[in-house]
Amino acid sequence: ARRCPHWQIVGVDADEIKVARANELARRARLENVRFEAGLLEDIRFESEFDLVVSADVLEHIADDRSAIARLGEALRPGGYLIVTSPSVPQRAHLPLVRWREKRIGFDPSHYGHVRQGYGPADLAEKFEAAGVRMLESRFTFGLFGTLAFDLFFVIGDNRPNPLVFGLMFPILMVLAAADLYFPTKTGSAILAVAQRPAMLEEERAA
């Protein structure tokens, strides 16, 4: 919002408390071109309002993902772009230490709130098409180095690591994350897809 003051930015989240905090932070930062609203993606009703819509690691949490993708597509202006990230299927092989820690703390991936493991390119392309947007490209992310960084972060405590251990590991995690950006991968633990709403709507072509 600060970098592009001519943009009008809207954030949507299901958690009303987080929305209130985000709006307060925007007010304190004196950002007048951004606002946050509470709502579920499958229920929002934006009609041809945005040039760009980003959904980052959300769809795997939504049972009715077709409705959510349809709402995201409807929110785009003709010619607008939709960017989606999600865990991928199949997943890359994870460190044995990950399974060890899951058993040790009684963790299951469902604790993340996922209703599905993730998406593959063909699955996303089909759901985009049903929603009236066309996939332009997709690629896997979190390749060998990114997955290793994620696994190590999980093993040392995930969102509640020991501060000393995290401080020692942080440079290593950053090097692995940087390496993941510079070395393309044919498989990955996540997927990034870009789609576009047709520049001319079907009804306009018919007219």
Side-chain angles (χ1 to χ4, degrees), residues 81-96:
Y81 293 91
L82 170 63
I83 297 176
V84 167
T85 66
S86 165
S88 65
V89 288
Q91 286 278 296
R92 282 191 64 92
H94 291 270
L95 292 176

Side-chain angles (χ1 to χ4, degrees), residues 36-140:
F36 297 88
E37 299 182 3
L40 301 176
L41 286 190
E42 55 267 49
D43 296 333
I44 60 171
R45 287 296 187 273
F46 294 112
E47 297 291 339
S48 302
E49 294 187 37
F50 302 103
D51 298 301
L52 173 66
V53 171
V54 178
S55 174
D57 292 357
V58 172
L59 293 177
E60 66 273 15
H61 296 267
I62 299 176
D64 188 5
D65 58 343
R66 289 183 179 273
S67 292
I69 295 172
R71 300 292 85 76
L72 296 175
E74 291 169 0
L76 290 170
R77 293 189 178 104
Y81 293 91
L82 170 63
I83 297 176
V84 167
T85 66
S86 165
S88 65
V89 288
Q91 286 278 296
R92 282 191 64 92
H94 291 270
L95 292 176
L97 280 172
V98 171
R99 290 190 293 274
W100 169 81
R101 185 169 188 271
E102 286 178 347
K103 291 179 180 179
R104 182 170 179 267
I105 66 175
F107 177 84
D108 186 270
S110 64
H111 296 169
Y112 281 134
H114 293 182
V115 297
R116 63 184 59 81
Q117 186 179 15
Y119 296 91
D123 187 22
L124 278 177
E126 186 272 325
K127 290 180 178 179
F128 284 162
E129 191 72 25
V133 294
R134 179 173 58 91
M135 181 183 283
L136 300 180
E137 63 174 298
S138 67
R139 64 182 178 90
F140 289 106

Side-chain angles (χ1 to χ4, degrees), residues 108-199:
D108 186 270
S110 64
H111 296 169
Y112 281 134
H114 293 182
V115 297
R116 63 184 59 81
Q117 186 179 15
Y119 296 91
D123 187 22
L124 278 177
E126 186 272 325
K127 290 180 178 179
F128 284 162
E129 191 72 25
V133 294
R134 179 173 58 91
M135 181 183 283
L136 300 180
E137 63 174 298
S138 67
R139 64 182 178 90
F140 289 106
T141 60
F142 281 83
L144 173 63
F145 298 107
T147 299
L148 179 57
F150 180 87
D151 288 356
L152 290 174
F153 181 64
F154 179 81
V155 168
I156 66 173
D158 200 17
N159 292 325
R160 294 185 178 88
N162 178 287
L164 178 60
V165 175
F166 180 71
L168 292 173
M169 289 294 299
F170 184 74
I172 298 172
L173 297 175
M174 291 301 292
V175 168
L176 289 170
D180 201 56
L181 296 175
Y182 286 103
F183 293 95
T185 181
K186 293 183 179 180
T187 61
S189 299
I191 188 170
L192 183 149
V194 181
Q196 184 179 34
R197 185 175 180 179

